[in-house]
Amino acid sequence: MKVLVINTGSSSIKYQLFNMPSGQVFCSGLLERVGDIKGILTHKTYPGTDKELKHVETKPIRNHSVGMARVAELLVDKEFGIINSANEIDLVGHRVVHGGEKFAKTTEITKDVKEAIKHLSPLAPLHNPANLIGIEVAEQIFAKAKQVAVFDTAFHQSIPEKAFRYAIPSKFYTKNGVRVYGFHGTSHRYITKRAASLLNKPIEEVNLITIHIGNGASMAAIKNGKSIDTTLGLTPLPGLVMGTRSGDIDPGVIFYLNETLGYALKDIKNILNKESGLKGLTNDNDMRVITERVEKGDKEALLALEIYTYRIKKYIGAYLAAIGEKPDAIIFTAGVGENSAVIRLMAVGGLLHLGIELDAELNKKGGGERCISSTNSSIAIWVIPTNEELEIARQAVGIA
Ligand code: AMP
C-alpha cells in the first residue's frame, strides 16, 4: 500500500511516501516559503539509504496548490520519481493540528470532517486553515486515494477532566471549549508504543513520562498507555520553555505588558510566541548554538539552559505525582531530546532520591533507541527518536 503523509504548515509542506505496512520510505521532502517568489523544494528519493538521491530547486511557489502540484510531479518524475501516476497513491494521511473534543481518533475525511476542522480554526488559527488547504489540494491531485486526518490533539483526549479544566468560569468551557487539549500527540503516542515494545510490556500496562523537546516542546504523563496530563494547553504556548515560545508564565504578565507598558495584545501575542523562550533569553533559538556559547563561558546562555532544564525537572516531579506509581521509564525525544546529552543530564540530574539517575557515559554516546540510565536508577531513562510521519501512516492504514 502506498501511503503519502502530508504536513501542511502556513508556509510549508512536508511529505513522505511510505510503503506500508513495511514502513519503508520511498521519498520525502520539504517545501519551504510557500507564497514566496523564492520557494525552496528539497526532495529525497530513498532518504537515509545508500540509494539516496537528493534534488533541490528554488522557484516561485505561489500557493499550496502550486506547491502540491509540483510535489505530485516529482513523485512521477523520471529521475526522482517513485510512481507512474498520482492514482497509485492508496491513502493520504494528513496531520491536522486541532481536533478539539470532536476527534479523539484518526478519521476518514468527509465534507463534515472538513467543516469541523474549519470550525475549530479559532483554536489553531495558524495551523488548521493551512491543514485544510493541504487536504483540499490533495483531494484534487490524489483523487483516487482515501484521505485521512490524524489529529495532534487526539492522543490527549484521554486526559481526565480534573487535569484538562482551567479554574475559570465554567461557561468558558461548556460554551466555548476553553480547556487543555495538548499537542504533539502523534509523537507522544509513537513514543508510548515504542517504549512498550522496548520494555516488553503490553501497552495497557506501560507508565511513562515522555519528554518531547524540539523547537516546540511538551511533556506527557502516560498511565496504562494513555495520556493523563500534558504541558501544552488550549494553545501551544504553556508548559516547557521552547525555541521561541515562553512556556508557563503568570497570565498577569500579559496585563502588565498591556496596561502598564502599553503593548498592544497582538504585539504581546507575537512576543510570547515568536520572541520568547530560548530566543527571548539568549537571542538564539537553536540549542546547538546556545550549547556552544555555554562551552565558551557565556553566562546568559548557561542561565537559559538552567531555566529550560529546571522547568523539565519540575514537570517530572509533577508527573511522578500524577501517575501515582513508579513509572517504567522517562523518555527523551525530538531534536533536543535525541541529541543533547547536556540537556538530558541537567534535566534529570540530582533526582536519585526519586529513583532517577543517568549513566554519564551511556548518556554521551550512541544514537537511535537506547537506555541511558545507571544501574542505580529504579526508573529507566531512554532516548527514543520520534517518527511522527510513520505514526501518521500507521494510523491512516489502521482505518483503511
Ligand atoms: P525538532 O523540532 O524536533 O526538529 O528539533 C529542532 C531543534 O533540535 C533545533 O532547533 C535544535 O535546537 C535542536 N537540535 C538538533 N540537533 C541538536 C544537537 N546536536 N544538540 C542540541 N540541540 C539540537
Side-chain angles (χ1 to χ4, degrees), residues 77-145:
D77 183 83
K78 279 211 170 61
E79 192 177 357
F80 302 103
I82 289 293
I83 51 177
N84 295 315
S85 128
N87 288 341
E88 280 180 42
I89 305 288
D90 300 293
L91 271 169
V92 183
H94 295 269
R95 175 190 184 223
V96 179
V97 166
H98 220 304
E101 287 188 334
K102 193 170 170 67
F103 298 108
K105 284 200 177 115
T106 295
T107 308
E108 181 174 356
I109 297 171
T110 60
K111 202 163 159 269
D112 288 349
V113 169
K114 283 191 280 183
E115 262 315 300
I117 294 171
K118 190 170 166 192
H119 189 70
L120 289 162
S121 287
L123 293 175
L126 296 178
H127 295 99
N128 273 29
N131 300 153
L132 257 185
I133 294 172
I135 290 169
E136 278 167 354
V137 175
E139 281 175 335
Q140 286 167 17
I141 296 180
F142 307 104
K144 287 254 161 73

Side-chain angles (χ1 to χ4, degrees), residues 220-233:
I222 310 290
K223 182 155 181 154
N224 300 329
K226 294 200 162 108
S227 175
I228 58 157
D229 206 350
T230 193
T231 56
L232 295 173

Side-chain angles (χ1 to χ4, degrees), residues 127-305:
H127 295 99
N128 273 29
N131 300 153
L132 257 185
I133 294 172
I135 290 169
E136 278 167 354
V137 175
E139 281 175 335
Q140 286 167 17
I141 296 180
F142 307 104
K144 287 254 161 73
K146 191 187 250 190
Q147 311 279 332
V148 174
V150 181
F151 297 93
D152 229 23
T153 46
F155 183 59
H156 299 301
Q157 277 296 301
S158 47
I159 293 176
E161 193 159 0
K162 67 180 176 190
F164 78 61
R165 285 286 295 274
Y166 294 119
I168 59 174
S170 296
K171 65 176 182 186
F172 293 118
Y173 169 60
T174 51
K175 288 209 178 102
N176 310 104
V178 176
R179 53 159 283 181
V180 169
Y181 289 99
F183 300 90
H184 300 144
T186 309
S187 176
H188 289 289
R189 187 202 301 270
Y190 174 84
I191 294 303
T192 301
K193 286 189 194 162
R194 282 304 306 147
S197 163
L198 291 162
L199 297 166
N200 246 327
K201 281 194 117 179
I203 193 150
E204 311 76 48
E205 288 175 23
V206 82
N207 297 325
L208 306 167
I209 296 176
T210 49
I211 307 175
H212 172 113
I213 38 178
N215 202 17
S218 67
M219 287 173 58
I222 310 290
K223 182 155 181 154
N224 300 329
K226 294 200 162 108
S227 175
I228 58 157
D229 206 350
T230 193
T231 56
L232 295 173
L234 174 75
T235 71
L237 251 187
L240 304 181
V241 176
M242 295 172 240
T244 63
R245 286 179 245 149
S246 61
D248 290 338
I249 58 163
D250 169 1
V253 170
I254 295 170
F255 307 119
Y256 185 79
L257 294 179
N258 177 248
E259 291 163 1
T260 309
L261 302 183
Y263 285 88
L265 272 181
K266 72 169 179 16
D267 296 330
I268 299 172
K269 192 172 175 182
N270 193 53
I271 290 168
L272 296 181
N273 278 292
K274 304 217 167 119
E275 302 293 331
S276 295
L278 292 171
K279 184 165 183 219
L281 293 167
T282 67
N283 241 353
D284 278 311
N285 63 349
D286 191 318
M287 190 55 93
R288 284 163 288 204
V289 177
I290 298 167
T291 312
E292 277 166 26
R293 281 174 53 182
V294 172
E295 282 161 11
K296 289 183 191 142
D298 183 327
K299 291 209 170 73
E300 184 184 57
L302 177 61
L303 177 64
L305 293 200

